[in-house]
Amino acid sequence: ILGAINRVKAGASNLVAEMRILRADGEVRRILNHIFSLKDCHGKMQAILGISTDITEQFHGKMLRMLQDELHKNLSETQD
């Protein structure tokens, strides 16, 4: 995240960064961060803002679909 913030400071526009976090209870969560700058009417940066979204469930669903597709492909190949 610090790298993305530094890129925004250097002039990059909106950035998206995905990361994993480890909660105190030991659970790993996937977080999607949108990082962008807030500029005044003269284009001078006033602040760096971000929005974080927990995408853990979507990530698990995507991984499950990929595994199912791979399993289906492997089963199809062995039946030929």
Side-chain angles (χ1 to χ4, degrees):
I1 294 300
L2 292 177
I5 291 171
N6 287 332
R7 288 193 298 274
V8 170
K9 284 182 181 179
S13 57
N14 301 336
L15 293 176
V16 177
E18 187 175 324
M19 66 180 191
R20 292 180 302 166
I21 62 168
L22 178 62
R23 293 176 21 142
D25 64 3
E27 184 179 10
V28 175
R29 304 297 290 183
R30 293 267 178 178
I31 307 296
L32 187 66
N33 300 288
H34 294 269
I35 304 161
F36 51 95
S37 61
L38 177 66
K39 297 179 181 178
D40 65 13
C41 62
H42 303 290
K44 183 178 176 188
M45 187 181 313
Q46 299 297 306
I48 295 178
L49 306 172
I51 300 171
S52 298
T53 306
D54 185 336
I55 60 166
T56 304
E57 298 306 318
Q58 296 93 321
F59 178 80
H60 287 163
K62 179 181 176 183
M63 291 295 105
L64 179 60
R65 285 188 299 279
M66 288 174 57
L67 288 170
Q68 289 171 334
D69 290 346
E70 187 67 24
L71 178 61
H72 179 70
K73 177 184 168 194
N74 289 339
L75 287 173
S76 296
E77 289 173 356
T78 58
Q79 293 176 354
D80 290 338

